[in-house]
Amino acid sequence: MKKTLLPILALAMVCCTPQRQETQHITITTDDATDRKMTLSPMASHRSATEMTLKENTYSVSVSTSETGFYNLVSVTNDRQYIIPYYVPVTKSESASHLTFGERGTITIEGSKDNSALAAFTSVYATNSRDLWKLQKGETEAARAIIEAIAIKADSIVKAYRCSKPVAEYIKTWAYTIAYDCFSSVPRIVGIPLKELPYSREGLLAEPHTVLNSPIAALFSNTPHIVYSSIPNKNNLDSALIYVEQHYTDTALIKKVNDNIAGRYVSRYDYSTEFDKGLERLQAATERYGLDPRHIVDFEKHRATVPGQPFPEGIVLQDRNGNVVDFSAFRGKYVYIDMWASWCVPCLREVPVLQKLEKTLKNKNVVFVSISIDATEDVWKKKMDEKHMHGHQLWNPEGTLGKALNVKGIPFFAIYDPDGNLYMHGAPRPSQGPGLVELLEGLK
């Protein structure tokens, strides 16, 4: 009898185990639906947000189930936006809640203890941020108290609402990331340098690897930055990846952190020296740690920043009449490039100095080319007219030149030789005076 009973019990357990739902229907009622738009999107997903349909005071939507059960519920009105975490167990097909928007960022949700808890901590987050930024210069101890209270409030909410394990972990992880970011803001708020604060981040917060080693932590956008900041030798690609391997085990989090490390390596690498060695190092790390191959592609694109390399291929340049201009049109001359945008104040300060330099430079073997990376053509043209900009004025409508040349900020200047190859990456700007004039006059 015992032999037949065990298989039956096992079958019953399988049959009674809740199954993951493919889609979930979510409804949100509110007393304030006037001019309010609401969207829902799964956290940690590349899927775009889905707008919820409104009928009377009820918003509804059917979406593919989030892998973790967590969603971002976004409410937008004319004067305010709320982003509220929302949880539905993956085994449920439906969820209904009532959402109330109070004063000064207060939010309440009725429907499930999990979402009520998430809404309660959303309000804590809003209050905490407001209190921190209201502090006056020198109020370091008040800042400490605010930061220390975050974890206490998170624990209180978890206990009061008796949250499910995933939501309890989410709230505690969220509290840690908030506290981390708050500490980073303290020096600016209280007007005291970080090194002079009477307390440290290590004294207030646990080490990131003791808190952020879970799929839940991977849901937060600032987690990779927090982990990266805690790595002792973060500027060394291999050392940083080894540290993550030794201190973290969650695969979702490791992937996000490693992508962050590789991305920083690509954007900060000095491409003017040992390009091939840097590429080999990245290729080896990609193979060993399973990094996204796109980082190798991005690194190789930056070969254009190495002196002697031709102007990057596939870059569209357009004059104010809409004509496409090939960079090869400037062959036979040294080309001094100014990359700018209409919204860039430092760029605009350089304009009159550059225009004067172009008129007074004696070396006719140098041609000046200004390239705008403005998002729209109209603002580019308007600013050119306001500043009376003359000469070769071009627009890079796709904004791809900056990435190809690994430009970290504008205004940016470069010089190409008569063969169309890079002569100097990060050339002096016009306002730097005689040094640039001497450089340009000497180009023969």
Side-chain angles (χ1 to χ4, degrees):
M1 183 67 183
K2 291 182 179 179
K3 291 184 179 180
T4 57
L5 181 60
L6 289 176
I8 293 173
L9 289 174
L11 179 62
M13 290 176 65
V14 171
C15 293
C16 293
T17 301
Q19 298 296 309
R20 183 183 188 279
Q21 301 297 313
E22 294 301 318
T23 59
Q24 290 175 330
H25 182 69
I26 297 172
T27 58
I28 306 287
T29 60
T30 178
D31 297 329
D32 183 15
T34 305
D35 297 324
R36 186 180 300 278
K37 174 182 176 181
M38 296 184 68
T39 63
L40 192 79
S41 61
M43 289 189 187
S45 171
H46 296 297
R47 283 178 281 171
S48 58
T50 303
E51 184 171 354
M52 304 183 77
T53 58
L54 174 63
K55 186 176 182 181
E56 295 180 351
N57 286 334
T58 301
Y59 294 86
S60 61
V61 66
S62 292
V63 294
S64 298
T65 300
S66 165
E67 293 181 1
T68 60
F70 286 94
Y71 302 83
N72 280 319
L73 178 64
V74 181
S75 164
V76 181
T77 58
N78 293 330
D79 61 346
R80 183 166 293 184
Q81 173 178 287
Y82 293 91
I83 301 177
I84 310 161
Y86 195 84
Y87 179 72
V88 183
V90 296
T91 55
K92 291 186 64 176
S93 60
E94 295 185 357
S95 175
S97 302
H98 182 80
L99 177 61
T100 303
F101 299 94
E103 296 181 357
R104 300 176 66 81
T106 302
I107 298 169
T108 57
I109 292 181
E110 300 172 7
S112 75
K113 59 184 181 181
D114 284 335
N115 287 316
S116 294
L118 289 169
F121 194 71
T122 300
S123 297
V124 167
Y125 174 41
T127 302
N128 175 85
S129 299
R130 185 167 57 248
D131 290 346
L132 185 67
W133 285 96
K134 283 169 60 178
L135 295 180
Q136 303 298 312
K137 300 296 183 182
E139 293 187 303
T140 57
E141 290 306 315
R144 185 214 294 257
I146 290 173
I147 294 172
E148 290 177 334
I150 297 172
I152 297 173
K153 292 177 181 178
D155 286 338
S156 297
I157 288 173
V158 167
K159 291 176 182 177
Y161 289 92
R162 298 180 181 179
C163 305
S164 64
K165 185 176 179 180
V167 172
E169 185 178 350
Y170 183 96
I171 291 175
K172 290 181 179 181
T173 303
W174 191 8
Y176 182 88
T177 63
I178 292 171
Y180 196 98
D181 287 345
C182 284
F183 179 84
S184 300
S185 301
V186 168
R188 186 164 67 256
I189 294 172
V190 302
I192 295 177
L194 178 63
K195 293 181 179 180
E196 297 180 16
L197 288 177
Y199 45 85
S200 66
R201 179 183 282 123
E202 292 75 17
L204 291 177
L205 302 170
E207 286 293 319
H209 69 268
T210 66
V211 181
L212 304 178
N213 191 17
S214 73
I216 296 295
L219 297 177
F220 293 86
S221 60
N222 58 344
T223 300
H225 168 72
I226 293 174
V227 173
Y228 178 81
S229 298
S230 70
I231 298 175
N233 194 11
K234 62 178 69 67
N235 293 324
N236 182 289
L237 176 65
D238 297 316
S239 295
L241 293 171
I242 289 172
Y243 180 89
V244 173
E245 183 180 54
Q246 293 175 340
H247 290 79
Y248 295 86
T249 57
D250 182 72
T251 54
L253 179 67
I254 289 174
K255 182 181 185 308
K256 283 200 167 188
V257 172
N258 284 353
D259 273 343
N260 183 278
I261 292 171
R264 290 173 185 268
Y265 175 81
V266 171
S267 66
R268 296 178 177 181
Y269 191 80
D270 182 4
Y271 292 95
S272 63
T273 60
E274 298 186 330
F275 180 92
D276 291 331
K277 286 186 178 181
L279 179 58
E280 289 173 7
R281 190 176 299 117
L282 180 59
Q283 289 171 330
T286 299
E287 183 176 349
R288 177 177 175 180
Y289 297 99
L291 305 179
D292 193 326
R294 67 182 170 83
H295 297 299
I296 295 177
V297 174
D298 290 342
F299 192 99
E300 290 178 325
K301 286 180 179 178
H302 291 141
R303 190 180 290 274
T305 66
V306 178
Q309 292 296 312
F311 190 80
E313 294 183 357
I315 301 297
V316 176
L317 300 175
Q318 181 177 308
D319 66 20
R320 69 174 303 145
N321 296 319
N323 301 313
V324 174
V325 177
D326 195 305
F327 191 75
S328 63
F330 304 107
R331 288 283 177 86
K333 301 278 188 180
Y334 281 93
V335 184
Y336 181 75
I337 290 178
D338 161 33
M339 194 179 302
W340 70 287
S342 63
W343 43 262
C344 170
V345 175
C347 298
L348 300 180
R349 293 195 190 113
E350 296 291 335
V351 170
V353 189
L354 176 62
Q355 298 280 285
K356 180 179 179 181
L357 175 63
E358 185 173 354
K359 290 180 179 180
T360 59
L361 192 73
K362 296 177 181 179
N363 187 359
K364 302 306 178 184
N365 201 34
V366 176
V367 62
F368 294 82
V369 177
S370 292
I371 301 176
S372 165
I373 59 170
D374 276 303
T376 61
E377 186 177 6
D378 291 343
V379 294
W380 165 55
K381 290 182 176 180
K382 181 180 179 181
K383 189 59 65 175
M384 278 197 300
D385 292 339
E386 287 179 3
K387 293 293 183 179
H388 307 290
M389 297 171 70
H390 57 72
H392 299 289
Q393 300 293 332
L394 303 177
W395 176 48
N396 178 214
E398 298 173 349
T400 50
L401 182 58
K403 187 173 182 179
L405 291 180
N406 196 32
V407 175
K408 297 180 175 64
I410 54 175
F412 171 80
F413 302 89
I415 301 174
Y416 279 82
D417 67 21
D419 295 323
N421 298 323
L422 184 63
Y423 178 81
M424 181 179 290
H425 184 274
R429 58 177 62 185
S431 60
Q432 288 180 261
L436 175 60
V437 176
E438 184 178 345
L439 170 64
L440 296 179
E441 292 289 12
L443 296 176
K444 304 295 182 182

